Structure formats: structure tokens, C-alpha cells
Amino acid sequence: MDRFVASLKNLRTPLIIMGTLLLSSGLTSCGFYTSQAEVAVQPSEEGNYNLESLDMYGIWEQVEPYGEVWHPDVGPDWRPFYYGRWAYTDEGWDWVSYENFGWIVYHYGDWVFSPDYGWLWIPGNLWSPARVHWLEFDDNICWAPMTPPGVEVGEPWEPGSGINFWIIVNIQNFTRENVGRYHVSRRFEEREHERFPIYRRAPEIGRVERFEGRRIEPVPLHRRIYRTPLGELRRNEYPPEEHRRILKHQRKLDHEVLHPNRQRMEERRRQREIQEGKRHHESEEHHGRERHERRKENKHDRD
């Protein structure tokens, strides 16, 4: 973890510059357009990303070339950006996750799929309402998790031999609760997509409203900043009615899909406390030696 933190510090400036370039040009690292805002959050001088909600629902693995990454403790059918819904806000389409850890892993960092581990989350310090690639064709809205540079997700109509990164829904189902349940799983006919314009952007609110036959009221958000060892992380807080829906789905997911491991969380907490105590002791010893050397030098000067 210390090596990962050091590498993240070294990459801090390039990451922020890259996020600015992506925002100004409208391009993602894999060539898919996005209209979602990205905000750089400065990391602090020391610490790690092991927040309790991540410790309880997954484990950290050292995976090259990404360093230390988080692997959710889930079954083979689980996928990111599936359990939740899309809400329109003053910053665009916000992913309202029904997973306890969603406020971190769907608004910061990237995702990659590994044949050995499954889905892996790579921490990052750029916040977005939803870290996804967007694509539209015909009456379909598609999204896929943001991937690290050099990892291509392909197109949603390509059969491919690996994991399918894309979730595809009919535009009429786009704002439904538990939107992943409405995923279009059929195979598209060869060259079917060529009959329609392709838009690589977040869905236009007016178009979604026309298909749903209703006006979509923006969800008011309260933004809170949480201080963590790695820096300040932003978390959206939703109106009471929305919050109650999230908690209802969250409890169901915990019981049926995620199975949180509180013992593992406590073990990681104790490990961090031991490491922190060790670092504090080593720091005190170092400062003690420095004070001793200064006293010797002062005594030598007086003599």
C-alpha cells in the first residue's frame, strides 16, 4: 500500500492535467465522448484508500501494472454500474448506487476486468457524477465503466470473447430503479448499428423526457467533503425520499449479493492502527536521535 501511495503522489500532476484535457476536449482515454464534469481532488501527504466501506466489501490486491487495487468480494455475475439508477442533477447524469461502497468507486478511479481476479477498481483522484463511457444508437443508451489508459472496451454490438463492459437499455427504461434489470442482452445483428447515428455522449435530457413522456425534475444534491487519509473525498447526499429508497435496496443487496464481512473490516482497522503506531514510534525515535545530535553539537560549540 505504501508503494501504491507513493506512485499515486508521483502521478498526481499528470492525473490532474489529464482530467483537464479530457474535460476540455470531451474525450476519454479510450476515445469515447463524455459530457460529464470531472473535478480534481488533491490528495494529502500520506495515507491510503482503505476506507471501511471498501474493507467490508472486498480485498486489496497487488496487480501489475496497476499497483494496489480493490477487488469486490462478489460472485461472477456481478458487474459495476448495475445496481442503482440514473438521476439527473445540475451536473448531469449522476449514478445513484445501491451499494454501500458506491459513493467512492463509481465517482472516482477506473475499472478493469482481470481473468484471474474479476473486476478490479483502480483508485484515482478525479471526481465525476459517473465514471463511465457513454454511447447511444437507435433507441439504446449504453454505458461502460471508465478504464485505465490502454485498456479498450470495444463497441457494445461487438461479440468479443471476454467480459462485456457495456450495459445497454432501451431509452424508455433509462431512469428506472435497479436499471441493470432492464439490460438488453440480445445479440445485435451484423452491421445493425450502421443503420443509425451513433452518439458518444451522455444522453440529452430532452430526448429521455420525450421517450418517457414526462418531465424529469433535477434531483437536488447536498455535497459533503469527507476527510480521509488520502485527502478530501466528495460524497453526494440525496433528498430524504431518495435516501430511503437507497437504504431499502442497500439492505437487500447486502443480504442477497454482497455479504459484507465486518470481521475483515475490523482486522484491517487493527492492522492500520498497528502500522500507524509503528510509524509514530519510528518517527519519535528519529526525532529523538536528531535532538541528541543537536545537544552534542551545542555542547561541542560551548566547549
Side-chain angles (χ1 to χ4, degrees):
M1 176 60 70
D2 292 337
R3 187 170 66 177
F4 162 67
V5 172
S7 66
L8 183 58
K9 291 176 186 175
N10 294 334
L11 288 173
R12 175 174 57 190
T13 302
L15 279 170
I16 295 173
I17 293 173
M18 182 178 70
T20 305
L21 290 174
L22 295 180
L23 183 58
S24 62
S25 65
L27 290 170
T28 71
S29 60
C30 294
F32 290 96
Y33 288 87
T34 178
S35 63
Q36 302 290 111
E38 290 180 319
V39 181
V41 179
Q42 295 282 357
S44 62
E45 289 303 313
E46 61 182 357
N48 56 54
Y49 248 114
N50 272 345
L51 304 183
E52 289 185 0
S53 54
L54 297 184
D55 290 338
M56 189 160 59
Y57 290 94
I59 58 177
W60 291 86
E61 301 279 1
Q62 191 74 25
V63 178
E64 299 303 331
Y66 309 112
E68 192 141 24
V69 297
W70 180 73
H71 168 51
D73 188 9
V74 290
D77 296 332
W78 181 93
R79 59 196 305 180
F81 290 100
Y82 184 93
Y83 298 100
R85 81 175 190 95
W86 291 105
Y88 193 73
T89 73
D90 59 350
E91 293 178 305
W93 292 106
D94 178 85
W95 178 249
V96 182
S97 173
Y98 299 153
E99 292 153 314
N100 189 278
F101 49 81
W103 72 277
I104 306 172
V105 302
Y106 299 134
H107 299 277
Y108 290 94
D110 300 319
W111 286 89
V112 68
F113 185 83
S114 163
D116 296 325
Y117 296 97
W119 286 101
L120 301 172
W121 177 67
I122 305 167
N125 68 329
L126 288 178
W127 183 93
S128 173
R131 296 280 298 168
V132 296
H133 304 300
W134 290 105
L135 189 146
E136 280 187 76
F137 71 100
D138 191 15
D139 296 339
N140 300 297
I141 297 179
C142 320
W143 62 92
M146 281 281 200
T147 51
V151 177
E152 299 291 341
V153 300
E155 303 281 23
W157 48 81
E158 293 176 349
S161 57
I163 188 71
N164 183 0
F165 277 78
W166 293 95
I167 295 177
I168 308 168
V169 298
N170 186 278
I171 191 171
Q172 292 179 326
N173 296 322
F174 178 64
T175 61
R176 289 183 181 269
E177 289 193 46
N178 262 322
V179 65
R181 294 179 178 176
Y182 301 90
H183 173 51
V184 177
S185 57
R186 76 174 180 87
R187 284 201 170 199
F188 292 93
E189 298 175 10
E190 186 177 2
R191 309 180 75 85
E192 176 182 349
H193 63 281
E194 296 181 2
R195 302 200 298 266
F196 310 100
I198 296 172
Y199 303 101
R200 302 181 189 276
R201 67 191 183 201
E204 294 179 344
I205 180 66
R207 187 165 184 263
V208 177
E209 287 177 331
R210 287 194 299 274
F211 271 84
E212 293 194 2
R214 67 181 181 97
R215 175 173 171 75
I216 298 175
E217 295 293 338
V219 175
L221 298 177
H222 177 64
R223 286 101 177 173
R224 291 192 61 182
I225 300 296
Y226 285 77
R227 295 187 180 276
T228 73
L230 188 58
E232 295 183 340
L233 297 183
R234 170 178 165 173
R235 181 173 186 170
N236 285 343
E237 294 188 350
Y238 302 96
E241 183 180 353
E242 183 72 34
H243 183 65
R244 285 192 291 271
R245 280 200 298 264
I246 293 171
L247 289 178
K248 180 188 72 173
H249 290 296
Q250 198 174 87
R251 287 191 289 267
K252 186 177 177 65
L253 274 177
D254 277 0
H255 178 70
E256 297 179 359
V257 179
L258 299 176
H259 309 298
N261 188 329
R262 295 187 179 277
Q263 181 179 353
R264 179 175 56 209
M265 181 190 73
E266 293 297 331
E267 289 174 355
R268 293 303 298 265
R269 179 190 294 172
R270 286 195 294 271
Q271 290 173 6
R272 290 196 298 275
E273 290 175 351
I274 292 172
Q275 291 170 356
E276 182 61 31
K278 183 178 180 181
R279 282 194 295 267
H280 179 74
H281 179 70
E282 291 173 348
S283 176
E284 287 296 314
E285 285 188 338
H286 175 72
H287 290 311
R289 287 194 296 269
E290 287 185 336
R291 289 193 295 269
H292 178 68
E293 291 298 324
R294 283 197 296 271
R295 285 196 296 270
K296 286 176 59 178
E297 290 175 359
N298 293 336
K299 184 176 182 303
H300 181 269
D301 291 341
R302 289 195 301 271
D303 294 343

